[in-house]
PDB file of all heavy atoms in Angstrom:
ATOM      1  N   VAL I1784     273.967 190.198  74.708  1.00 98.00           N
ATOM      2  CA  VAL I1784     274.982 190.750  75.548  1.00 98.00           C
ATOM      3  C   VAL I1784     276.480 190.370  74.966  1.00 98.00           C
ATOM      4  O   VAL I1784     277.319 191.244  74.930  1.00 98.00           O
ATOM      5  CB  VAL I1784     274.880 190.357  76.991  1.00 98.00           C
ATOM      6  CG1 VAL I1784     276.050 190.935  77.783  1.00 98.00           C
ATOM      7  CG2 VAL I1784     273.563 190.934  77.551  1.00 98.00           C
ATOM      8  N   ASP I1785     276.618 189.113  74.676  1.00 98.00           N
ATOM      9  CA  ASP I1785     277.942 188.657  74.112  1.00 98.00           C
ATOM     10  C   ASP I1785     278.324 189.361  72.885  1.00 98.00           C
ATOM     11  O   ASP I1785     279.388 189.788  72.692  1.00 98.00           O
ATOM     12  CB  ASP I1785     277.798 187.075  73.862  1.00 98.00           C
ATOM     13  CG  ASP I1785     279.185 186.500  73.694  1.00 98.00           C
ATOM     14  OD1 ASP I1785     280.207 186.996  74.242  1.00 98.00           O
ATOM     15  OD2 ASP I1785     279.280 185.568  72.912  1.00 98.00           O
ATOM     16  N   GLU I1786     277.317 189.597  71.991  1.00 98.00           N
ATOM     17  CA  GLU I1786     277.478 190.330  70.696  1.00 98.00           C
ATOM     18  C   GLU I1786     277.853 191.740  71.035  1.00 98.00           C
ATOM     19  O   GLU I1786     278.747 192.321  70.358  1.00 98.00           O
ATOM     20  CB  GLU I1786     276.304 190.218  69.828  1.00 98.00           C
ATOM     21  CG  GLU I1786     276.110 188.838  69.150  1.00 98.00           C
ATOM     22  CD  GLU I1786     274.809 188.803  68.345  1.00 98.00           C
ATOM     23  OE1 GLU I1786     273.895 189.529  68.617  1.00 98.00           O
ATOM     24  OE2 GLU I1786     274.803 188.049  67.409  1.00 98.00           O
ATOM     25  N   PHE I1787     277.163 192.296  71.978  1.00 98.00           N
ATOM     26  CA  PHE I1787     277.495 193.716  72.344  1.00 98.00           C
ATOM     27  C   PHE I1787     278.909 193.872  72.909  1.00 98.00           C
ATOM     28  O   PHE I1787     279.576 194.831  72.578  1.00 98.00           O
ATOM     29  CB  PHE I1787     276.499 194.157  73.448  1.00 98.00           C
ATOM     30  CG  PHE I1787     276.737 195.369  74.112  1.00 98.00           C
ATOM     31  CD1 PHE I1787     276.602 196.681  73.532  1.00 98.00           C
ATOM     32  CD2 PHE I1787     277.277 195.430  75.401  1.00 98.00           C
ATOM     33  CE1 PHE I1787     276.796 197.853  74.114  1.00 98.00           C
ATOM     34  CE2 PHE I1787     277.622 196.624  76.083  1.00 98.00           C
ATOM     35  CZ  PHE I1787     277.309 197.843  75.443  1.00 98.00           C
ATOM     36  N   LEU I1788     279.342 192.829  73.660  1.00 98.00           N
ATOM     37  CA  LEU I1788     280.725 193.029  74.290  1.00 98.00           C
ATOM     38  C   LEU I1788     281.840 192.649  73.343  1.00 98.00           C
ATOM     39  O   LEU I1788     282.905 193.181  73.376  1.00 98.00           O
ATOM     40  CB  LEU I1788     280.784 192.149  75.492  1.00 98.00           C
ATOM     41  CG  LEU I1788     279.830 192.498  76.697  1.00 98.00           C
ATOM     42  CD1 LEU I1788     279.940 191.488  77.781  1.00 98.00           C
ATOM     43  CD2 LEU I1788     280.189 193.879  77.186  1.00 98.00           C
ATOM     44  N   MET I1789     281.598 191.601  72.433  1.00 98.00           N
ATOM     45  CA  MET I1789     282.603 191.040  71.638  1.00 98.00           C
ATOM     46  C   MET I1789     282.502 191.300  70.151  1.00 98.00           C
ATOM     47  O   MET I1789     283.378 190.957  69.438  1.00 98.00           O
ATOM     48  CB  MET I1789     282.641 189.487  71.856  1.00 98.00           C
ATOM     49  CG  MET I1789     282.727 189.111  73.362  1.00 98.00           C
ATOM     50  SD  MET I1789     284.167 189.821  74.250  1.00 98.00           S
ATOM     51  CE  MET I1789     285.469 188.948  73.433  1.00 98.00           C
ATOM     52  N   GLY I1790     281.369 191.824  69.710  1.00 97.00           N
ATOM     53  CA  GLY I1790     281.140 191.999  68.291  1.00 97.00           C
ATOM     54  C   GLY I1790     280.534 190.847  67.578  1.00 97.00           C
ATOM     55  O   GLY I1790     279.959 191.016  66.465  1.00 97.00           O
ATOM     56  N   GLU I1791     280.613 189.699  68.135  1.00 97.00           N
ATOM     57  CA  GLU I1791     280.020 188.464  67.556  1.00 97.00           C
ATOM     58  C   GLU I1791     279.852 187.456  68.727  1.00 97.00           C
ATOM     59  O   GLU I1791     280.307 187.678  69.816  1.00 97.00           O
ATOM     60  CB  GLU I1791     280.909 187.867  66.462  1.00 97.00           C
ATOM     61  CG  GLU I1791     282.306 187.483  66.996  1.00 97.00           C
ATOM     62  CD  GLU I1791     283.120 186.910  65.924  1.00 97.00           C
ATOM     63  OE1 GLU I1791     282.700 186.884  64.776  1.00 97.00           O
ATOM     64  OE2 GLU I1791     284.305 186.540  66.273  1.00 97.00           O
ATOM     65  N   SER I1792     279.078 186.486  68.389  1.00 97.00           N
ATOM     66  CA  SER I1792     278.780 185.458  69.442  1.00 97.00           C
ATOM     67  C   SER I1792     278.545 184.125  68.876  1.00 97.00           C
ATOM     68  O   SER I1792     277.985 183.898  67.820  1.00 97.00           O
ATOM     69  CB  SER I1792     277.523 185.832  70.229  1.00 97.00           C
ATOM     70  OG  SER I1792     277.191 184.921  71.233  1.00 97.00           O
ATOM     71  N   VAL I1793     279.071 183.044  69.627  1.00 93.00           N
ATOM     72  CA  VAL I1793     278.728 181.642  69.161  1.00 93.00           C
ATOM     73  C   VAL I1793     277.696 181.002  70.034  1.00 93.00           C
ATOM     74  O   VAL I1793     277.361 179.936  69.845  1.00 93.00           O
ATOM     75  CB  VAL I1793     280.091 180.851  69.298  1.00 93.00           C
ATOM     76  CG1 VAL I1793     281.101 181.376  68.329  1.00 93.00           C
ATOM     77  CG2 VAL I1793     280.615 180.864  70.755  1.00 93.00           C
ATOM     78  N   LEU I1794     277.094 181.925  70.940  1.00 96.00           N
ATOM     79  CA  LEU I1794     276.064 181.343  71.776  1.00 96.00           C
ATOM     80  C   LEU I1794     274.819 181.089  70.966  1.00 96.00           C
ATOM     81  O   LEU I1794     274.450 181.905  70.109  1.00 96.00           O
ATOM     82  CB  LEU I1794     275.740 182.322  72.969  1.00 96.00           C
ATOM     83  CG  LEU I1794     276.798 182.481  74.059  1.00 96.00           C
ATOM     84  CD1 LEU I1794     276.398 183.502  75.039  1.00 96.00           C
ATOM     85  CD2 LEU I1794     277.008 181.147  74.763  1.00 96.00           C
ATOM     86  N   PRO I1795     274.042 180.016  71.254  1.00 91.00           N
ATOM     87  CA  PRO I1795     272.760 179.810  70.551  1.00 91.00           C
ATOM     88  C   PRO I1795     271.718 180.754  71.003  1.00 91.00           C
ATOM     89  O   PRO I1795     271.710 181.283  72.149  1.00 91.00           O
ATOM     90  CB  PRO I1795     272.471 178.382  70.814  1.00 91.00           C
ATOM     91  CG  PRO I1795     273.033 178.211  72.259  1.00 91.00           C
ATOM     92  CD  PRO I1795     274.312 178.948  72.208  1.00 91.00           C
TER      93      PRO I1795
END
Side-chain angles (χ1 to χ4, degrees):
V1784 172
D1785 192 33
E1786 287 178 333
F1787 169 77
L1788 295 174
M1789 308 302 293
E1791 61 181 3
S1792 178
V1793 296
L1794 290 175

